Amino acid sequence: MSSADWRRVSPLSILFFVGAIAKTLAQNFVQIVVPAFVAIQALDLGRAYVYSLGIAAVALAMLVSVARYLNFRYRIEDDRILVREGIFLKKQLNIKFERVQGINTKQNIVYRLFGLVDVKLDTAGSVAEEGHLPAVGTTLAEDLREKVRRTPTRRAPGEERPDAEGEAGFDAAEAETLLRLDSGDLVRIGLSSNYALIVLALAGSAFGSLEGRLGEVVIPKLSPLGDTVASQGAAAIAAGALFLVLIVLAILLLASIAGAFFRFHRYELATDGDTLRSVSGLATRREHTMGIGKVQILTASQNAILRLFGDLRLNAKQAASAVLNLRKSFLVPIASPAFLPRLLPVIFGDEAREIDAAPDAAAFRAISRRYILARFLLLGLAPAAVLAMNLLIGGAPLSALLWPLAWASLALGIAWQRHRRWGVQIAGNAVAVRNGFIGADVAVFLLRKVQRVSITASPFQRRRGLANVTFYLAAQSVTVPYIDATLARQLLDYTLYKVESSELGWI
Amino acid sequence: MFENAQVAIDEIPSVGDVRWEPLAPRYALHLSLQQLVFFGVLGAVALGIATIDAFADAGPLALVRHAGFWLLFAALALTSLAWPFLAVPRKGYALRERDILYRSGVLWRKLAAVPFNRIQHVETSSGPLDRAFGLASLEIFTAGGATGDLKISGLESALATRLRSHILGQAGEARELG
């Protein structure tokens, strides 16, 4: 491949550019459509006018896209890729391969027919500097990936991989598949998505109110004087409504499952040298990579439904860019807890060997029971007392006091349950923190990757010799509440010691 | 919970042993002055409203209401004015070889630590009132944080500048080492 000349991407990229324009328009839908509609109404334009305006707009979009395609060039050199683009405002990007953290590709059906992919070069910098080739041949994407892989990234001296000397080392660390998902997994992803949770919650409340209506309708029917025919009709309507809700619910859940199939069909997770790589998708195949050393924190979360299935959703999080409000993470949509002992060594090496990140692990130690009392006093008893006072002053009957009582006991129940979920494991170089209410989230991180650490203590906590510790990582912060104050200080000392004595970097 | 490190914990340096450096004592006056301005403005507005109210409704109950309000207002204002003189002596920082510590809080206590080898950049800033008092703030940033990750206000401005260059130097050294 003569790599030193400027090249164009495939003409099919015009499709991509048109799509980008359509996307921008759709995103600003309200801002565009409302004024346009008002203008059409105000100017009293005829139908022909509107149509020709529409056609003109489409033609303009096409023209702009063609111009963008003609002005888009790239050039691959031995150690970098250059991209030139822009119709009027020219922009040139210069990305050295050593800065590239990962190459993400996407292939929709049209691209697949023509053997093209959409390539994004993930660099540590901002989005504006991220390289993007809208439509290039699959072989070129592979070449790029190979070049990036062979370019040693800049590392701290200690972080050099011992087996990365020469090409033999690279080949020894060839791709190894860690996980494949089957159809059953995809169905479970669909059923346990956040979207499905919302649907189920809505369905629950709809059933609740329908049940009430049904009761109202059915009971008068039993009275001998009731108009039997009319109430029978009403019962039929209620039953029909119930049926309709069931149908809608089924359709929404099916849509969620279909979404899971579209996104995660033939999902495959693999390690490739020192990167994690996942490939998935039904119509559009996506390939996502992330440098393993870049992972700051691994979360294993289990919402109510996933808990029912006994499965986890895993997320390996990279450093977040607060300025751009950008969070990069690598998702494993579903995995059994048994997969964790396989994945943890891949991500954290030997350093998290003693951590058992499964939400039900016995190794998690509970936090202080005072947590329940504090939560109950603050969120249960105090509001309940205020409410009770108001009710009494307002002259409400004594039976109304059941409400604050109910609230207080609910708060107690929630505090108790949350206390049950809180747990912490500290083992050598790594920490795992679990929390949650119905489900559970476990966050695992290495102490040496911590950015800063703090201890806080409320007056209540100080009296009981307790404190909270917060670990701030580049991806997110993790708090361990209500632990022994001495332990909290030791933990802070220990974390600082680990961070400051570590010869390995955090990124 | 901690068996593995228990042996090492006695040998590693503890934040319990540090000598805390106080902030400039006049920083309390600075904060108090800020509160005075705030409550002055608030009080003026409230006085205006109260005057209008007094003309509109001059019953005996109105007097009680007004007295109650002003009593509450005075209590709140006085507490806020006095608070900095309690809070500032509790604040302090400690510079160690490899990190910087900051503690604060009268009721809710906080201790924060930032290792030098995680510092991204350091900023000093001073507003008009800060400059009148010869004070400055030092802000330390690490990766992934949204706002300043550690902000120490009420430092002598010359000290803030010296601290900044010292921390930057330490951070650069730490980065080169590791």
Side-chain angles (χ1 to χ4, degrees):
Chain A
M1 182 173 76
S2 79
S3 54
D5 35 280
W6 288 98
R7 307 206 290 171
R8 282 213 175 102
V9 292
S10 157
L12 272 170
S13 66
I14 295 171
L15 276 181
F16 166 81
F17 290 125
V18 171
I21 293 172
K23 207 171 145 191
T24 318
L25 287 179
Q27 275 166 355
N28 300 305
F29 178 77
V30 181
Q31 287 151 21
I32 292 165
V33 162
V34 173
F37 186 74
V38 170
I40 288 165
Q41 291 290 319
L43 295 173
D44 198 21
L45 296 174
R47 222 175 242 188
Y49 261 116
V50 175
Y51 285 147
S52 46
L53 269 178
I55 290 166
V58 171
L60 187 69
M62 285 298 290
L63 210 66
V64 169
S65 299
V66 171
R68 277 190 72 177
Y69 156 68
L70 289 175
N71 283 290
F72 194 103
R73 308 272 178 107
Y74 66 95
R75 178 167 140 175
I76 296 171
E77 293 180 355
D78 289 336
D79 63 336
R80 71 190 67 201
I81 177 168
L82 301 157
V83 179
R84 257 187 211 167
E85 61 175 312
I87 304 169
F88 300 111
L89 196 71
K90 303 278 182 196
K91 191 170 107 180
Q92 175 153 341
L93 273 179
N94 178 350
I95 300 170
K96 283 193 175 177
F97 289 138
E98 61 174 26
R99 278 208 304 131
V100 175
Q101 298 195 346
I103 295 182
N104 299 328
T105 62
K106 221 166 75 178
Q107 191 180 39
N108 62 29
I109 289 181
V110 180
Y111 280 13
R112 206 186 295 176
L113 283 177
F114 290 89
L116 299 169
V117 283
D118 176 290
V119 178
K120 271 197 177 119
L121 298 169
D122 187 6
T123 55
S126 65
V127 180
E129 287 167 24
E130 221 143 78
H132 181 204
L133 302 175
V136 292
T138 35
T139 47
L140 186 111
E142 276 311 312
D143 283 348
L144 264 179
R145 193 166 272 134
E146 197 54 32
K147 280 200 169 188
V148 169
R149 209 150 65 85
R150 288 185 184 279
T151 307
T153 48
R154 256 185 307 191
R155 288 168 201 281
E159 217 178 342
E160 211 74 61
R161 283 158 48 93
D163 61 338
E165 293 157 9
E167 306 199 344
F170 276 113
D171 290 340
E174 261 308 317
E176 182 200 353
T177 305
L178 293 173
L179 183 71
R180 285 197 179 88
L181 298 184
D182 59 31
S183 310
D185 293 324
L186 297 181
V187 170
R188 288 204 297 278
I189 294 170
L191 286 176
S192 64
S193 69
N194 292 337
Y195 170 71
L197 267 183
I198 294 168
V199 168
L200 286 176
L202 283 178
S205 61
F207 272 128
S209 67
L210 262 179
E211 220 168 34
R213 297 261 169 80
L214 219 55
E216 285 165 24
V217 173
V218 173
I219 289 160
K221 198 181 89 174
L222 296 175
S223 81
L225 293 172
D227 186 353
T228 334
V229 182
S231 53
Q232 259 176 355
I237 288 168
L242 197 73
F243 186 65
L244 209 68
V245 167
L246 267 175
I247 296 261
V248 169
L249 174 69
I251 288 172
L252 289 175
L253 282 182
L254 276 177
S256 180
I257 292 169
F261 268 89
F262 265 101
R263 177 113 193 260
F264 297 117
H265 180 65
R266 285 205 293 134
Y267 178 94
E268 204 180 296
L269 175 72
T271 52
D272 189 357
D274 52 5
T275 57
L276 273 177
R277 175 201 281 229
S278 73
V279 190
S280 69
L282 186 66
T284 301
R285 294 288 287 173
R286 285 163 205 275
E287 181 159 343
H288 192 177
T289 57
M290 179 186 270
I292 287 171
K294 307 283 188 283
V295 176
Q296 301 294 316
I297 201 162
L298 178 76
T299 61
S301 35
Q302 205 171 40
N303 63 22
I305 299 171
L306 277 174
R307 201 168 171 80
L308 222 61
F309 295 142
D311 282 321
L312 303 168
R313 185 183 303 164
L314 308 175
N315 236 323
K317 294 178 183 172
Q318 231 179 315
S321 164
V323 182
L324 296 159
N325 199 11
L326 205 70
R327 291 185 185 279
K328 287 180 187 161
S329 69
F330 189 95
L331 175 75
V332 181
I334 202 160
S336 80
F339 179 60
L340 282 169
R342 182 100 195 271
L343 186 67
L344 277 174
V346 169
I347 290 181
F348 295 124
D350 223 15
E351 292 179 88
R353 198 181 48 235
E354 293 151 62
I355 293 284
D356 183 357
D360 294 326
F364 281 107
R365 303 297 179 92
I367 58 169
S368 165
R369 283 187 177 278
R370 303 272 179 200
Y371 172 87
I372 305 175
L373 183 63
R375 283 289 160 138
F376 171 63
L377 290 178
L378 188 72
L379 301 173
L381 207 58
V386 171
L387 185 62
M389 289 255 280
N390 270 319
L391 286 172
L392 286 179
I393 291 169
L398 275 180
S399 62
L401 287 181
L402 279 175
W403 284 111
L405 205 67
W407 172 262
S409 37
L410 184 71
L412 184 65
I414 291 173
W416 182 77
Q417 173 65 12
R418 284 192 57 94
H419 174 265
R420 249 166 54 103
R421 286 280 182 267
W422 276 108
V424 58
Q425 278 180 56
I426 302 148
N429 297 313
V431 172
V433 179
R434 178 188 65 196
N435 83 92
F437 174 47
I438 296 171
D441 291 308
V442 177
V444 186
F445 58 91
L446 298 180
L447 283 172
R448 69 171 164 90
K449 295 207 170 193
V450 167
Q451 299 286 324
R452 60 199 168 97
V453 55
S454 73
I455 298 178
T456 55
S458 69
F460 176 84
Q461 287 177 320
R462 272 191 295 133
R463 232 182 357 259
R464 312 288 176 189
L466 298 169
N468 313 323
V469 179
T470 305
F471 302 93
Y472 295 85
L473 287 117
Q476 70 177 71
S477 64
V478 179
T479 299
V480 188
Y482 286 82
I483 58 171
D484 181 68
T486 321
L487 177 68
R489 241 224 353 252
Q490 285 176 347
L491 207 46
L492 180 118
D493 288 335
Y494 186 59
T495 307
L496 289 175
Y497 161 70
K498 280 287 171 194
V499 171
E500 288 156 14
S501 66
S502 165
E503 293 190 345
L504 305 170
W506 63 273
I507 198 155
Chain B
M1 193 183 278
F2 212 10
E3 292 82 5
N4 243 350
Q6 209 70 61
V7 191
I9 207 87
D10 296 331
E11 294 159 24
I12 63 179
S14 168
V15 293
D17 305 333
V18 302
R19 192 168 47 79
W20 293 98
E21 304 284 342
L23 302 180
R26 63 178 183 283
Y27 181 52
L29 192 66
H30 168 285
L31 286 179
S32 197
L33 212 65
Q34 266 181 353
Q35 297 291 342
L36 189 68
V37 172
F38 175 73
F39 279 97
V41 172
L42 208 66
V45 172
L47 193 67
I49 294 171
T51 318
I52 296 165
D53 192 53
F55 277 113
D57 166 31
L61 229 104
L63 196 69
V64 176
R65 224 174 50 217
H66 281 246
F69 170 78
W70 286 113
L71 226 62
L72 205 71
F73 183 84
L76 201 67
L78 281 177
T79 316
S80 301
L81 287 181
W83 193 256
F85 293 94
L86 222 67
V88 168
R90 281 279 331 153
K91 294 182 203 273
Y93 68 92
L95 212 55
R96 301 200 296 179
E97 249 175 77
R98 289 167 179 273
D99 47 38
I100 180 163
L101 312 170
Y102 181 62
R103 67 165 186 181
S104 61
V106 178
L107 294 174
W108 273 265
R109 301 269 166 90
K110 180 166 182 179
L111 169 65
V114 185
F116 288 141
N117 57 352
R118 293 292 176 269
I119 289 174
Q120 297 284 322
H121 71 281
V122 186
E123 263 178 34
T124 52
S125 60
S126 55
L129 193 63
D130 288 320
R131 283 198 297 277
F133 275 84
L135 297 175
S137 301
L138 184 76
E139 224 172 328
I140 296 170
F141 295 81
T142 59
T147 51
D149 295 322
L150 184 68
K151 187 171 183 176
I152 307 177
S153 297
L155 294 166
E156 304 278 354
S157 42
L159 178 67
T161 316
R162 255 175 45 222
L163 273 177
R164 186 187 60 188
S165 53
H166 174 76
I167 291 169
L168 277 176
Q170 293 285 347
E173 213 170 278
R175 206 169 302 136
E176 256 157 50
L177 281 175

